[in-house]
Amino acid sequence: MKIPFLVLAFFLQCYFVSSLYHPLDPLNPAEIDQIRLIIQKSHLASLPNLTFILLMLKNQKKKMPNRLAKVVVRAKGETYELIVDLTIGSIISDQVYTGYGYPPLTFSELFRASKLPLKYPKFKKSILRRGLNLSEVSCVPFTVGWFGEHITKRTLKIASFYRGGSVNVFARPIQGISIIVDVDSMKIIKYTDRLRAPVPKAEGTDFQSTKGKPNSTTCNITNGGFSIEGQMVKWGNWNFHVAFNARAGVIISTASIFDERKRKFRSVLYRGHVSETFVPYMDPTSEWYFRTFMDIGEFGFGRSADTLQPLIDCPGNAVFIDGYMVGADGLAQKVPRAICIFERYVGNLAWRHTEINVPGKVIRSGEPETSLVVRMVATVGNYDYILDWEFKQSGTIKVGVDLTGIPLMKATSYTNTDQIRENVYGSLIAENTVGVHHDHFLTYYLDLDVDGNDNSFIKTKLQTAKVSHQSTSATSPRKSYWTVVKKTAKTEAEARIQLGLEPAELLVVNPNKKTRLGNHVGYRLITGQPVNSLLSDYDYPQIRAAYTKYQVWVTAYNKLERWAGGFYADRSRGDDGLADWSQRNRAIDNKDIVLWYTVGFHHVPYQEDFPVMPTFHGGFELRPANYFESNPLLK
């Protein structure tokens, strides 16, 4: 009876563990600690400089009996990929990654690299020659990109800034010094001091608000109206799962909406999150050309998540959720108040109408619009990204991105635009200060399941047509009108779209479900301002970030394809990522598909961006398109 008892015990353990968690719940501190102990008992524990890089729930769309975690660690200059089964408590896969690119930098590595120049004799001399106080110097490490090298190392370039009377570190750059650090050996391997420019003055650089925290009565206050059970959020007619991830930050999953007519919840979005960013600066000089950042893959929005400030980042009615991730030592790190959720009413209308054509009556009606917002803020160096997922009772999901923070600046001898006789690759935004031209691209991963798993992508063109008097009244004075021409994308190549070239409606529909009137149920992508990369296709940063050449992509679902710039984005070469996957040209009609959309900004800095930039907004909407039989607000 011993063997059957052990088998029974194993299955009971599997059932008990799996029942504790929603299958998409992020790894909790106890699980992170369990993974650390499992790895410390393995052969990896004996390797030098063992560094924990990433721990994430293994991507699986179907519910599995066991909880699996993907683990990435670095040791002796190599990247190890592990799969840990948390249910049985063991490593079930262990391999060394041999492809191009490196995993994200840890905070520990960035911190240690930032301290190296302060003890480096050549750097000390450079600071002394500039008449600066070394104790007032801050060093900031940047990733270096890839520019055709056949062999690469995991390296960082260090830029230096002078505080000296200011808390705005990025406002006082020390120009002309380049420092390259080998991350694995944690040593400076190259040092250059090629030019000098006046350090911008400290006066006028303080970005700290003097207004203090707002009174709670001025904030958005409603009566709550939502509940959180574990990671599941219920509000109005919406149910969805919210999670924190070290790479993506906030992840929204299994979003479904209750249909009053059908008396059931219907699926909309299986999973959505920011997949990758691309932030290339337009200065090709030696101190700047490499600044072509992919923040998600090189650092991580979750790693950069800031603790949210009540009454500033989130209103007084917000509920906060902590985030957890692994530190370089394998211990769980907590981000207090990483995500906030709040009900919002800002005076908008959900709908209204006044009818004056009923004899003897004036009929006015309408409803105020209240929505539910899920928010996080990622502070990646000088920039702050405010990321919102907003759910509306109409069935719309509105995704917002607000950019703020400090522009990345360089020192110059110029104090007035009249003095400039050369290309400075930016705008003079303060005395001796150039705000460098740059872009921000945020590519979203949207695994839509519109009323079911199998969907299709339809591009609906709006085309001008001439009036034919054979089909209309011969007395019509009209010469033209526009008409709708629909085309279902059969393959991935047919679903790559550059926006702005012609008017179009973009829909994801379920070809297996129809409304009572015979329309396929669907959701519409309402895009923001069309912004695409202006870099040459053969430029190395663009090769790495080829996913920014189109604003819209649609791919066949693959559990390994979530990160648009590839899983290992640091120093990547563009051979793994969205653009490469799409080249397979797989069938996407009536399949499980993923929609990718890029929010873009071309940023020409202006004086109002100094010393801190007012928020700059972008985003998109997912809006019902024949998903309901009629307006769902009229219940």
Side-chain angles (χ1 to χ4, degrees):
M1 295 294 293
K2 191 174 183 179
I3 293 177
F5 176 76
L6 290 174
V7 172
L8 176 62
F10 172 75
F11 280 108
L12 285 174
Q13 180 191 29
C14 291
Y15 173 79
F16 178 71
V17 172
S18 63
S19 65
L20 288 175
Y21 306 104
H22 185 286
L24 297 177
D25 281 355
L27 297 170
N28 61 42
E31 291 176 313
I32 293 172
D33 192 54
Q34 180 188 359
I35 291 168
R36 176 180 61 85
L37 293 174
I38 291 170
I39 291 175
Q40 286 179 345
K41 292 177 182 178
S42 73
H43 72 96
L44 295 166
S46 62
L47 299 179
N49 301 322
L50 178 65
T51 302
F52 287 78
I53 306 291
L54 275 177
L55 266 67
M56 23 192 341
L57 195 65
K58 192 173 186 301
N59 191 27
Q60 47 201 25
K61 197 161 186 179
K62 294 181 179 179
K63 186 174 181 179
M64 305 295 287
N66 291 16
R67 241 169 108 76
L68 305 178
K70 180 168 184 174
V71 182
V72 177
V73 298
R74 287 279 294 179
K76 65 173 187 179
E78 294 183 310
T79 299
Y80 291 81
E81 298 179 320
L82 315 172
I83 302 297
V84 175
D85 188 322
L86 291 161
T87 308
I88 63 176
S90 67
I91 298 171
I92 60 174
S93 175
D94 177 354
Q95 62 184 18
V96 175
Y97 173 71
T98 58
Y100 297 126
Y102 298 99
L105 282 302
T106 67
F107 176 79
S108 175
E109 290 168 329
L110 295 170
F111 179 78
R112 291 168 60 199
S114 72
K115 299 303 178 184
L116 291 177
L118 302 178
K119 298 179 180 179
Y120 193 66
K122 291 182 179 179
F123 182 74
K124 290 181 178 181
K125 289 181 181 179
S126 294
I127 296 302
L128 185 62
R129 283 198 298 265
R130 286 168 169 79
L132 304 177
N133 184 347
L134 185 66
S135 66
E136 294 287 345
V137 174
S138 291
C139 296
V140 179
F142 293 123
T143 52
V144 302
W146 174 72
F147 293 89
E149 303 93 336
H150 294 293
I151 299 175
T152 61
K153 291 184 176 182
R154 199 160 172 251
T155 54
L156 292 164
K157 285 193 176 182
I158 310 293
S160 52
F161 302 85
Y162 195 61
R163 300 186 305 277
S166 175
V167 297
N168 194 340
V169 173
F170 291 99
R172 306 196 71 197
I174 301 171
Q175 199 67 18
I177 300 174
S178 295
I179 307 167
I180 301 179
V181 171
D182 184 317
V183 176
D184 289 324
S185 65
M186 202 51 69
K187 293 180 180 179
I188 293 174
I189 58 175
K190 187 175 181 180
Y191 183 87
T192 306
D193 184 356
R194 76 176 188 94
L195 61 86
R196 297 183 199 177
V199 175
K201 62 184 180 181
E203 290 77 15
T205 62
D206 192 348
F207 61 84
Q208 297 173 98
S209 175
T210 58
K211 298 176 182 178
K213 287 189 177 181
N215 189 295
S216 62
T217 58
T218 66
C219 289
N220 176 65
I221 299 293
T222 66
N223 294 322
F226 64 94
S227 64
I228 304 175
E229 298 177 10
Q231 306 286 140
M232 289 297 300
V233 179
K234 297 180 180 180
W235 173 79
N237 48 359
W238 281 103
N239 277 2
F240 59 88
H241 183 275
V242 61
F244 178 84
N245 177 277
R247 186 161 184 158
V250 64
I251 297 179
I252 301 295
S253 302
T254 61
S256 60
I257 190 166
F258 190 76
D259 188 324
E260 287 282 352
R261 286 176 181 259
K262 297 181 181 291
R263 303 303 301 168
K264 68 176 183 178
F265 279 95
R266 300 167 63 195
S267 62
V268 177
L269 177 73
Y270 178 74
R271 180 184 282 122
H273 59 79
V274 184
S275 173
E276 190 54 89
T277 66
F278 181 43
V279 188
Y281 283 79
M282 300 300 138
D283 187 335
T285 61
S286 60
E287 290 83 17
W288 281 81
Y289 75 89
F290 61 90
R291 301 189 195 203
T292 55
F293 308 121
M294 294 165 68
D295 295 327
I296 300 284
E298 294 173 341
F299 304 109
F301 266 13
R303 288 182 189 276
S304 307
D306 201 0
T307 294
L308 298 171
Q309 308 165 91
L311 304 183
I312 296 177
D313 295 320
C314 308
N317 61 334
V319 173
F320 295 90
I321 298 176
D322 299 330
Y324 294 93
M325 57 190 171
V326 71
D329 56 2
L331 295 172
Q333 290 184 342
K334 178 180 178 180
V335 183
R337 303 195 302 272
I339 297 170
C340 73
I341 304 175
F342 58 92
E343 203 171 52
R344 174 158 67 187
Y345 170 66
V346 293
N348 290 339
L349 290 174
W351 67 271
R352 83 170 305 282
H353 181 60
T354 298
E355 182 57 70
I356 62 173
N357 293 298
V358 177
K361 294 182 179 180
V362 176
I363 301 171
R364 295 185 180 90
S365 190
E367 293 181 21
E369 181 175 74
T370 303
S371 60
L372 188 75
V373 178
V374 180
R375 173 176 294 168
M376 73 158 284
V377 175
T379 300
V380 188
N382 56 305
Y383 263 102
D384 296 67
Y385 294 86
I386 304 166
L387 308 173
D388 282 357
W389 289 80
E390 182 176 4
F391 294 83
K392 300 187 177 186
Q393 302 273 17
S394 63
T396 292
I397 303 174
K398 187 175 181 180
V399 180
V401 180
D402 286 286
L403 305 184
T404 182
I406 315 296
L408 208 51
M409 298 168 272
K410 66 177 182 180
T412 179
S413 60
Y414 303 119
T415 59
N416 190 285
T417 56
D418 293 339
Q419 302 166 349
I420 300 175
R421 295 291 183 269
E422 60 180 335
N423 192 344
V424 295
Y425 308 106
S427 310
L428 194 69
I429 60 175
E431 290 184 6
N432 304 119
T433 306
V434 169
V436 178
H437 299 151
H438 60 282
D439 295 325
H440 294 267
F441 298 102
L442 295 91
T443 299
Y444 278 80
Y445 171 96
L446 303 164
D447 182 0
L448 287 161
D449 281 356
V450 177
D451 209 18
N453 204 51
D454 293 336
N455 291 170
S456 297
F457 179 71
I458 296 177
K459 181 178 181 180
T460 301
K461 295 182 180 181
L462 308 183
Q463 294 184 343
T464 302
K466 295 181 179 179
V467 173
S468 171
H469 290 294
Q470 294 178 349
S471 59
T472 61
S473 170
T475 61
S476 174
R478 289 287 296 273
K479 303 295 184 183
S480 64
Y481 61 100
W482 59 259
T483 189
V484 173
V485 179
K486 296 182 179 180
K487 182 180 180 181
T488 300
K490 301 296 184 182
T491 64
E492 292 172 322
E494 294 177 8
R496 302 176 200 138
I497 297 174
Q498 283 190 341
L499 298 172
L501 302 179
E502 57 185 356
E505 298 263 308
L506 306 176
L507 297 96
V508 174
V509 305
N510 188 325
N512 310 299
K513 302 280 183 70
K514 290 184 178 182
T515 65
R516 181 169 46 86
L517 300 180
N519 293 308
H520 285 121
V521 302
Y523 257 74
R524 200 165 34 132
L525 172 65
I526 300 179
T527 63
Q529 182 179 358
V531 177
N532 66 302
S533 178
L534 301 177
L535 298 180
S536 301
D537 289 347
Y538 51 82
D539 196 0
Y540 289 110
Q542 189 58 52
I543 292 172
R544 295 178 67 216
Y547 52 89
T548 60
K549 273 300 179 181
Y550 297 94
Q551 292 86 36
V552 177
W553 307 69
V554 179
T555 58
Y557 172 80
N558 183 315
K559 66 181 180 180
L560 300 178
E561 299 175 3
R562 278 182 64 188
W563 312 105
F567 189 76
Y568 295 104
D570 183 33
R571 310 220 68 185
S572 60
R573 305 186 181 190
D575 60 330
D576 178 35
L578 175 55
D580 184 61
W581 306 328
S582 179
Q583 291 298 322
R584 300 171 192 169
N585 205 23
R586 294 162 291 191
I588 58 171
D589 184 21
N590 201 13
K591 303 287 186 182
D592 190 359
I593 59 177
V594 176
L595 174 68
W596 308 74
Y597 176 70
T598 296
V599 179
F601 306 83
H602 295 309
H603 189 185
V604 177
Y606 293 94
Q607 287 181 232
E608 290 82 0
D609 295 334
F610 183 88
V612 65
M613 187 177 84
T615 53
F616 190 21
H617 181 78
F620 62 95
E621 291 185 25
L622 298 171
R623 187 180 179 112
N626 298 323
Y627 189 85
F628 299 102
E629 294 293 344
S630 61
N631 186 344
L633 294 171
L634 300 177
K635 298 176 183 178

